[in-house]
Structures are given as structure tokens and as C-alpha cells.
């Protein structure tokens, strides 16, 4: 690979952080539209939840293919395509009043976010920096995505209050076009790492799934997706059900984003100095404890602030650690592909968390079953991460 100048690398890191901020921020904050849209259009909550669930699943299904293209063709084309698809999907959401079309729009948005979201960006950045810098740079990209969530939630609420929910969604659609100029700086440094002519993707995937550590990362990340999608989709509505105002839902998502900036930087630091698998196990155990306390104690503005702040520290801190472990155990040649497959597991969990939350609420009038499921899965993920090996596996050794 041609040696890259430090200025080109730094410009790509800045551009990548901007893409992560825009590409994830409004998507993660979209849950603030659940109750206003459902009430205005006369939909059950399952309609909105199913659209988000389809979006998250298609995001996950797109991720491995986006990774394959990025490994073989570079990341720039992938990001540009994703930005255009996401813009189209959100435009459809802003103009349709059909529940069927709204649900189907999740396919387009999912493909778009799968190709333009921060997992694609942080893997690209991780390939161009030295191994010792990789966890920090991946944490930096994740923190940028969290900043987007911090800004996206109150901005979405503000846009709704001024322009109404339909115009607010159209503004979100237009924001994805801001990604296109930044893609240029990523494209300059994102060289292919896998030859299209030599193949090997199938063999790499088989070797990875023969490695117990990769399999444990794959299934453990399902739990992260379940937690994140359920909370960011249903927490604002849950708080309104408990008698708190709509603005509190936006504040809760903003606090998740704010404190996840700290959590993501902390994860990047810990990946350089501590055992990544042990930190991951601690994150999942911490989530279980925080959720338990939140649902057992009386709901108030103070409890929401505390819950959102502490959960924010644990929110996407899993991403740089998990991606870093994939790189450490499986190597760099097929990193976009293999990280994409792990993220598919994450998004499968996201599908279940987003959809099942709405389904169970419509059936029972309560989110209680979902909260307790989230606790049980957090404890399971804790146990899954403890046996992970942090040394190169067969695939990484073959690469070297």
C-alpha cells in the first residue's frame, strides 16, 4: 500500500467524523417522531416500530456487502451511494401517509445507512492508522456518531415544533446530502485491501466462523443491537406514557449521545491499555444493572437524567472494542467484510428490539416484558465475552 501523508490521514479522520455525525445522528434520534406521527396519522405504534425494525435489519444485511465492496473497491463509493439512498428513504417518509409505504421505506433507509453509517467509516479509518492508534481512532469515530445523536434529538424536536413533523423529516432527508463532499477525503486514502480477482472472501468467512472468539463476538453484538434499538426507539414514548413531556424524550436521547461521547473515548483508551473483552463484559453487566435500577425506582425527571447519562457511557462504547477485537483476531485484509457480518448480528438484535417493543406494547399496553428481556440479555452477553481470545486467530496468522 502506498504510504499516506499525515495530512491526508488527518483530513480523512476529520471527514470521517463528520460523516459519522451526520449519518448516524438523525437516524438514532428518529424515535422522537414515534408518538407524534402515530397520533397524527392514526397508526398503531407497531407501524412505526416495524418500519424502524425493517430499517435496522436492512442496515445489518447491507453491512457485509458494503464491507465487501469497500475491501475490494475502496470506501468512497460505498459512502456516496449510502448517502443518496438514505436521503431518498427519509424523503419518502416525509411525504407518505400510507403505513405500508412507511414500513417499506425502512428498506431504503436501511440500505442507505448500512452503506453510509459510522461502522463503514471507522473500519476505513482503522485501516489507515497504526495498530496502536486503531482503538482510539475507532473510538473517535464512534464519539462523532454520538455527537450526532446529541445534536439530532433536540434538533428534531425543535424542527417539529417549528415546522411540523413532515417538514422536519424532509430536512433530515436533505442533511444526508452533506455527506457527499466529505466522501472525497475518505476516497483519497481508502485503498482496496482485498483483490477482486483473487477472491477468498468465502474462505475468510469460513475461517472466521471456525474461530470461537469471532463467533462469541458475533452473538454478543446481537445484545448490543437489541438494547440500543429498543431504547432509542421506545424510550421517548415510554417516558410520555409515564406522564413526562415530549421534550423529556428528546432530552433523554440527547443525554445518551452526550455521555456516549465520553464513553466512546473511554472505550478507545481502554482498548489501548486494558483487556478489551473484559471491558466489554463489564459494559454489558453495567447495562443490566442500570436498566434494573431504572425500572424498579420511581420515574422522574431526575431518574431519567441519571439513567440516560449512565447508559450513555455504556451506549456505543462496545463498537470500537468489538471492531478492534475483530481486527486483532482476524486481521485487516477482510476487516470490512468480517466487521460487517458482526454488525449484521447487531442489527438483527436491533430489528428484534425495535419491532418487539412495539408489538408487546400493543398487546399488553406496557413495556415491562421488554425491559426484563433487556436485563437478561445483558447478563448473557457478559458471560459470552469472558472466554474471548485476544490474540491473532488462524485467519490473521495466515494473512501475516
Amino acid at each position: 500500500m502506498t504510504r499516506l501523508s499525515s495530512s491526508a490521514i488527518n483530513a480523512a479522520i476529520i471527514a470521517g467524523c463528520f460523516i459519522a455525525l451526520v449519518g448516524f445522528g438523525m437516524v438514532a434520534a428518529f424515535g422522537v417522531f414515534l408518538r407524534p406521527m402515530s397520533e397524527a396519522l392514526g397508526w398503531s405504534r407497531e407501524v412505526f416500530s416495524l418500519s424502524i425494525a425493517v430499517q435496522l435489519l436492512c442496515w445489518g444485511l447491507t453491512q457485509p456487502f458494503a464491507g465487501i465492496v469497500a475491501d475490494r473497491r475502496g470506501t468512497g463509493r460505498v459512502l456516496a451511494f449510502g448517502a443518496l439512498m438514505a436521503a431518498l428513504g427519509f424523503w419518502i417518509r416525509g411525504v407518505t401517509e400510507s403505513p405500508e409505504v412507511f414500513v417499506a421505506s425502512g428498506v431504503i433507509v436501511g440500505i442507505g445507512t448500512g452503506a453510509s453509517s459510522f461502522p463503514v467509516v471507522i473500519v476505513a479509518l482503522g485501516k489507515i492508522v497504526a495498530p496502536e492508534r486503531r482503538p482510539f481512532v475507532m473510538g473517535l469515530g464512534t464519539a462523532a456518531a454520538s455527537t450526532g445523536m446529541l445534536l439530532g434529538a433536540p434538533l428534531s424536536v425543535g424542527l417539529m415544533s417549528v415546522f411540523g413533523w413532515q417538514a422536519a423529516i424532509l430536512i433530515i432527508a436533505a442533511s444526508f446530502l452533506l455527506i457527499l463532499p466529505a466522501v472525497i477525503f475518505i476516497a483519497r486514502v481508502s485503498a482496496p485491501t482485498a483483490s477482486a480477482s483473487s477472491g477468498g472472501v468465502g474462505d475468510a468467512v469460513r475461517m472466521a466462523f471456525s474461530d470461537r472468539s469471532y463467533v462469541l463476538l458475533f452473538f454478543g453484538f446481537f445484545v448490543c443491537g437489541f438494547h440500543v434499538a429498543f431504547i432509542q426507539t421506545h424510550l421517548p414514548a415510554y417516558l410520555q406514557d409515564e406522564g413526562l413531556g415530549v421534550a423529556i424524550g428528546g432530552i433523554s436521547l440527547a443525554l445518551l449521545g452526550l455521555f456516549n461521547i465520553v464513553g466512546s473515548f473511554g472505550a478507545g483508551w481502554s482498548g489501548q491499555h486494558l483487556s478489551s473483552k473484559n471491558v466489554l463484559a463489564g459494559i454489558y453487566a453495567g447495562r443490566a444493572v442500570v436498566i434494573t435500577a431504572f425500572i424498579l425506582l420511581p420515574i422522574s425527571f431526575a431518574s431519567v437524567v441519571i439513567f440516560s447519562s449512565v447508559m450513555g457511557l455504556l451506549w456505543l462504547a462496545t463498537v470500537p472494542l468489538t471492531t478492534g477485537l475483530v481486527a486483532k483476531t482476524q486481521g485487516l485484509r477482510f476487516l470490512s467484510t468480517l466487521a460487517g457480518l458482526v454488525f449484521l448480528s447487531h442489527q438483527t438484535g436491533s430489528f428484534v428490539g425495535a419491532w418487539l417493543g412495539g408489538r408487546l406494547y400493543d398487546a399488553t399496553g406496557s413495556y415491562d416484558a421488554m425491559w426484563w428481556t433487556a436485563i437478561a440479555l445483558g447478563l448473557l452477553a457478559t458471560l459470552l465475552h469472558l472466554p474471548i481470545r485476544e490474540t491473532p486467530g488462524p485467519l490473521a496468522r495466515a494473512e501475516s
Side-chain angles (χ1 to χ4, degrees):
M1 181 182 292
T2 304
R3 183 174 178 83
L4 301 171
S5 68
S6 59
S7 60
I9 292 174
N10 291 334
I13 291 173
I14 294 170
C17 288
F18 176 78
I19 294 170
L21 185 151
V22 174
F24 182 74
M26 292 302 189
V27 175
F30 197 62
V32 300
F33 290 90
L34 188 158
R35 187 162 169 172
M37 286 190 67
S38 299
E39 292 178 349
L41 298 173
W43 295 346
S44 69
R45 292 192 186 183
E46 188 178 5
V47 172
F48 190 98
S49 301
L50 184 57
S51 182
I52 298 299
V54 168
Q55 167 193 313
L56 295 170
L57 182 60
C58 289
W59 180 352
L61 291 171
T62 301
Q63 205 77 56
F65 296 102
I68 291 171
V69 176
D71 281 335
R72 290 181 168 179
R73 303 282 185 179
T75 307
R77 299 178 184 181
V78 176
L79 292 171
F81 169 78
L84 293 172
M85 288 292 288
L88 173 62
F90 274 102
W91 177 81
I92 292 173
R93 283 179 169 174
V95 299
T96 186
E97 295 185 3
S98 165
E100 293 80 11
V101 173
F102 185 78
V103 170
S105 71
V107 176
I108 301 174
V109 175
I111 293 172
T113 51
S116 64
S117 59
F118 72 95
V120 176
V121 173
I122 65 172
V123 170
L125 298 180
K127 288 181 178 182
I128 62 173
V129 298
E132 60 272 14
R133 291 189 64 199
R134 190 173 298 133
F136 175 77
V137 170
M138 287 182 168
L140 182 64
T142 307
S146 302
T147 303
M149 184 176 178
L150 165 65
L151 300 175
L155 182 59
S156 295
V157 172
L159 290 173
M160 276 195 292
S161 66
V162 175
F163 301 109
W165 63 265
Q166 286 183 311
I169 295 175
L170 294 177
I171 294 172
I172 290 173
S175 71
F176 278 91
L177 301 179
L178 299 174
I179 290 175
L180 297 177
V183 169
I184 297 171
F185 298 94
I186 300 290
R188 287 175 178 171
V189 300
S190 178
T193 54
S195 168
S197 60
S198 64
V201 172
D203 290 336
V205 171
R206 283 190 290 271
M207 288 182 70
F209 275 102
S210 69
D211 186 339
R212 184 181 71 166
S213 293
Y214 183 79
V215 173
L216 292 174
L217 287 168
F218 181 86
F219 286 108
F221 218 27
F222 173 97
V223 177
C224 180
F226 183 95
H227 285 162
V228 168
F230 166 60
I231 292 173
Q232 73 183 23
T233 302
H234 294 280
L235 180 60
Y238 172 75
L239 297 178
Q240 286 184 264
D241 294 341
E242 294 295 320
L244 299 178
V246 63
I248 305 301
I251 291 172
S252 67
L253 294 183
L255 286 171
L256 285 169
L258 173 63
F259 281 87
N260 189 51
I261 297 171
V262 180
S264 297
F265 276 119
W269 178 89
S270 68
Q272 296 181 160
H273 299 90
L274 303 173
S275 165
S276 294
K277 66 160 188 171
N278 290 339
V279 177
L280 279 168
I283 288 171
Y284 287 110
R287 287 183 181 184
V289 172
V290 172
I291 294 172
T292 301
F294 180 59
I295 64 173
L296 291 181
L297 295 174
I299 298 293
S300 66
F301 178 73
S303 72
V304 172
V305 169
I306 294 171
F307 170 77
S308 301
S309 301
V310 178
M311 184 61 73
L313 294 174
L314 311 172
W315 194 245
L316 294 179
T318 59
V319 176
L321 294 170
T322 300
T323 309
L325 280 174
V326 174
K328 186 180 293 186
T329 59
Q330 309 305 316
L332 296 181
R333 185 182 179 200
F334 297 98
L335 177 58
S336 296
T337 304
L338 297 177
L341 285 169
V342 171
F343 200 74
L344 169 59
S345 177
H346 182 283
Q347 295 306 95
T348 304
S350 296
F351 172 87
V352 176
W355 166 75
L356 192 60
R359 180 68 172 176
L360 290 179
Y361 179 87
D362 287 342
T364 66
S366 170
Y367 287 113
D368 288 350
M370 286 296 295
W371 287 119
W372 287 110
T373 301
I375 293 167
L377 287 175
L379 296 175
L380 175 62
T382 301
L383 298 176
L384 286 177
H385 283 83
L386 291 175
I388 291 173
R389 183 198 70 253
E390 298 192 71
T391 54
L395 182 61
R397 292 196 298 270
E399 176 185 312
S400 62

